[in-house]
Each structure stands twice: as structure tokens, then as C-alpha cells.
Amino acid sequence: MNRVIDQYIRSEEEQDWVRKAEELAALFAGRATRHDQEGSFPFENFADLREAGYLKLTVPEEFGGNGISLYTLVMLQERLAYGDGSTALAVGWHVGQILHLQTTRKWPEAIFADLCRSVVSDGTMINTFASEAASGSPSRGGKPETTAVPADGGWRITGRKTFSTLSPILDRFVVSAYIPDEDCTDDFLIHWTDRVTLVETWDTLGMRATGSHDVVLNGVFVDKDMRLSGKGMDDGGGWLLHIPACYMGIAMAARDYALEFARSYRPNHMNEPIAALPSVQHSIGEMEIELRTARSLLYAAADRWDREIEDRPALKPELGLAKYVATNNAIKIVDLAMRIVGAASLSRNRPLERYYRDVRAGLHNPPMDSTVLHTLAKAALAETPL
């Protein structure tokens, strides 16, 4: 039987990676309930990801990675999230940012090369911690209260970062910090030391196993060479499509659960399963519209980003649209799936209630809905009239 999720596979190489991702997703699905209930970090999932070579997927081939395309990354992230949304979103920040660093070359080449080799040889992971309680998301334009002050041979950085996904497992990370002496903000690569403290604050409605705790920096020393000045090339932010891919995977899992329930559940007053009911078929049709529309936009945006290298900055409206539609449609799909299953969908013994909680988080990942709408409006207003 042809599966909707397989519609966008283009090659045997992609098919091979899909099989690996689905094997991982099946393992993660078996652990997801426990980590969700405990709010614990799934270290074993990341050991499996490392063993499977997933952590080096976006590392350039010249450094021993696979150098996969954004299109392929979207495909694999969907499948991981089908098994466990938290793990998919968390690892997505790592593989996505490696892709971003590769395409923008915003880091000094030697530092990027060292990171890539460490990812390949040691399974090193990376993320950027930018959000703060007072300033909110950096995508909204807030100035960090974390500060960097000059020290002998480098910098001393002090502050507290929130939403620090992957923090329990990282030995290095990037922070944004304000430099009072220069009245500007810059990024710094920090290695975990005794002046870095993890404060386990992450206790949320959904995505409970991403390890997005607070990280406190108490005058941590950073070598002068670890100031990551320079913006590099503008890649349009295509790497952020790992986010809607994750929520599409969750929606697909909810859709498949509802389909199986509809095919198998037969109340004692019926002679056939509820899938025969016109009302249920109507809801299934609505799920398909939301799912297929979102995925067509998502894969089209990823494919254009891969191909239209010189025009990537101009793709921001399309990339934002793909994220907006995917995350909002994913919420609708999970809601429809729960309506099909009925009150039983609220049970913690079924995964639907976790999907329902997890999928809501997409609204709070960048770019936010208001930002996408503003970008689309600006693009429309800038058009030359016919």
C-alpha cells in the first residue's frame, strides 16, 4: 500500500535514510510516554542517533559528514517526530544549525571545521541559547541582558538563558550577549565549565522531553577567538524548516492513529467499524486536506531553497508561509483525529493526548505567526503594480 508519508521520496539514497529514521522513530515511540510523564531527557535516544550517524547528516562531506539537502532533512525530521516529537525537535536544532553554519559561513572557518570534525568523531552537538526571561525570543528583537565584558585574553560572560534546548547533553553551546563597551550584541562559543549551571526549570504542557532548561553563566571565561563576529551570507533561514517538519510528523502520527481506530472500532450497535460513517469520513477528508496542503508547501519550499541558492534571501516569505501553514494545520489535524477517536483520545494511555499537547508548541517556535504575516504583507506591498 502506498503511504502518504512516502510521496516525496525521490531516490534510493533517501529511501535508505528514511528506513533508518523510521527504525529510530519506532524505538523512540516506545520510550516517549515515560519521558513525557517524567519530563526527563531521553539520553538513550541521542545515543541511538549518534550510533546511526544522524548527528552528522548535515555536516559537509569535506569534514566526514553526509552533507544532506534541506529537502532530505525535512523528510527525516518528519519521521523522527512521528515517533517522538520532543526528540525530533531537539535534535533538529543541532542538525539545522549545522546546515545553517555551512550555508552562511558565519563562523570563522577553523572553528566551524573543528566543530564538524568533533560532531563526526565524538558525536558533539551544538545549539544556540538566545532567549531570556526579560527580553523574550530574539526573533522579536529583544536585547539580551546577558553581558560580555573584556578580560585578559578574552571575555567574561554573565547571564541566564531560557528555553535552552539540549542543555542536559551539550558540552559546548553558543550564547548571544550584549557588549556594553561597544553597545552591540554578538555571539560567543562557550564550553561547559564549573561557571555554567543547569537549572532544571523545564516543566511544560508539551514537548516535555527537550531538556529546554535555564542555563546560568557566572562570569564564564571565553577566549577572544571564540567571539563569533560576522553575519556571513544570508541564507533566508531555510534551516528553520526542521521545525514545521517536526510538527507535520506529529500530525501524521495522530492522523494514522485515528485512521486505525476508525478502521477497527465497531460499537455494538453497528455492523461495521465507524470508518463507514459519513461523518467520520468527512473528518478524515478534512484531515487529508490540511495534511496534504501543508506538506506540499513544506517540500516545495525546501526544494526551492536547495535549488535557488542565489535567491535564498528572497525566499523568506515562502519559508515563513510553509512554517505558518504546517504548524497551524498540524494543530487542526490532531484536533480532528481526537474528534474521530472521541473521549478515549483524552486518556493518558493513548498517545493522542501527548500529540495534542506537543503540537501546540509549534506556535511558539520561530518564525511566529505574527512575524510571518508581517513578512508576507511587506512582500505584497513592495510589489510593482501591473
Side-chain angles (χ1 to χ4, degrees):
M1 180 186 298
N2 291 329
R3 304 186 305 172
V4 169
I5 199 171
D6 292 336
Q7 286 179 334
Y8 294 98
I9 298 175
R10 305 171 299 184
S11 66
E12 290 186 8
E13 181 182 11
E14 287 179 348
Q15 182 65 67
D16 289 341
W17 273 113
V18 160
R19 291 194 193 99
K20 293 179 183 178
E22 290 180 344
E23 290 172 1
L24 289 167
L27 284 175
F28 301 165
R31 303 163 182 162
T33 297
R34 175 173 61 85
H35 287 297
D36 174 70
Q37 291 176 351
E38 296 175 352
S40 53
F41 189 79
F43 289 98
E44 66 274 39
N45 289 359
F46 287 86
D48 290 336
L49 287 165
R50 175 187 174 187
E51 181 66 25
Y54 200 93
L55 302 182
K56 64 183 182 69
L57 282 177
T58 51
V59 171
E61 292 181 355
E62 63 190 284
F63 300 120
N66 300 96
I68 66 169
S69 66
L70 176 62
Y71 184 102
T72 305
L73 179 61
V74 164
M75 184 179 298
L76 301 182
Q77 284 294 111
E78 265 195 323
R79 282 159 175 80
L80 280 193
Y82 189 98
D84 181 9
S86 285
T87 296
L89 185 64
V91 77
W93 287 108
H94 162 73
V95 290
Q97 287 192 55
I98 295 291
L99 178 61
H100 177 58
L101 294 173
Q102 172 196 343
T103 56
T104 61
R105 297 296 179 177
K106 62 189 292 187
W107 282 18
E109 187 64 26
I111 297 176
F112 179 60
D114 178 70
L115 172 65
C116 288
R117 294 188 183 104
S118 187
V119 172
V120 172
S121 62
D122 303 323
T124 296
M125 300 179 70
I126 195 71
N127 198 5
T128 297
F129 302 157
S131 296
E132 297 181 5
S135 61
S137 170
S139 64
R140 300 286 196 186
K143 183 176 75 174
E145 293 192 341
T146 297
T147 59
V149 297
D152 186 21
W155 303 85
R156 290 284 179 186
I157 299 182
T158 300
R160 181 168 182 149
K161 297 296 184 179
T162 59
F163 299 108
S164 302
T165 299
L166 290 173
S167 53
I169 202 171
L170 299 182
D171 70 348
R172 71 195 73 183
F173 53 91
V174 176
V175 299
S176 57
Y178 176 67
I179 306 172
D181 288 359
E182 302 178 20
D183 190 25
C184 69
T185 298
D186 223 334
D187 290 340
F188 297 83
L189 180 60
I190 294 177
H191 287 256
W192 207 285
T193 72
D194 58 2
R195 287 184 175 269
V196 179
T197 304
L198 179 68
V199 183
E200 296 189 358
T201 53
W202 191 243
D203 185 13
T204 57
L205 177 75
M207 290 295 182
R208 290 175 50 76
T210 59
S212 303
H213 301 294
D214 286 8
V215 171
V216 178
L217 307 137
N218 183 23
V220 61
F221 178 78
V222 179
D223 187 272
K224 60 181 176 60
D225 293 334
M226 294 298 107
R227 179 179 177 180
L228 306 172
S229 300
K231 301 300 181 182
M233 294 180 289
D234 183 359
D235 68 352
W239 69 281
L240 288 169
L241 289 188
H242 81 87
I243 295 170
C246 173
Y247 294 106
M248 274 291 96
I250 296 170
M252 183 74 74
R255 172 250 196 196
D256 286 358
Y257 188 93
L259 288 177
E260 182 57 31
F261 183 89
R263 294 188 192 105
S264 59
Y265 177 60
R266 183 181 68 82
N268 61 12
H269 66 278
M270 290 182 61
N271 294 323
E272 52 190 343
I274 63 170
L277 294 172
S279 60
V280 171
Q281 292 182 9
H282 183 88
S283 293
I284 292 172
E286 288 184 306
M287 282 199 302
E288 294 304 284
I289 288 173
E290 303 291 344
L291 184 77
R292 293 171 188 244
T293 299
R295 294 186 80 226
S296 65
L297 283 172
L298 181 59
Y299 280 92
D303 182 55
R304 286 191 64 188
W305 188 88
D306 285 333
R307 290 185 293 103
E308 300 176 21
I309 297 173
E310 298 300 323
D311 294 329
R312 281 172 177 170
L315 291 176
K316 285 181 181 179
E318 304 305 320
L319 296 165
L321 175 64
K323 191 271 180 176
Y324 178 98
V325 172
T327 50
N328 283 280
N329 285 21
I331 291 171
K332 296 174 187 176
I333 292 162
V334 178
D335 179 71
L336 286 163
M338 295 184 77
R339 291 171 186 264
I340 292 169
V341 175
S345 66
L346 300 174
S347 171
R348 290 189 179 275
N349 293 323
R350 298 176 186 266
L352 274 178
E353 64 90 27
R354 184 179 79 252
Y355 300 154
Y356 182 79
R357 290 183 286 107
D358 281 352
V359 81
R360 299 287 310 176
L363 297 175
H364 309 288
N365 292 139
M368 281 65 161
D369 285 2
S370 59
T371 301
V372 173
L373 294 172
H374 180 67
T375 301
L376 290 168
K378 282 184 64 177
L381 291 168
E383 288 181 0
T384 304
L386 294 175

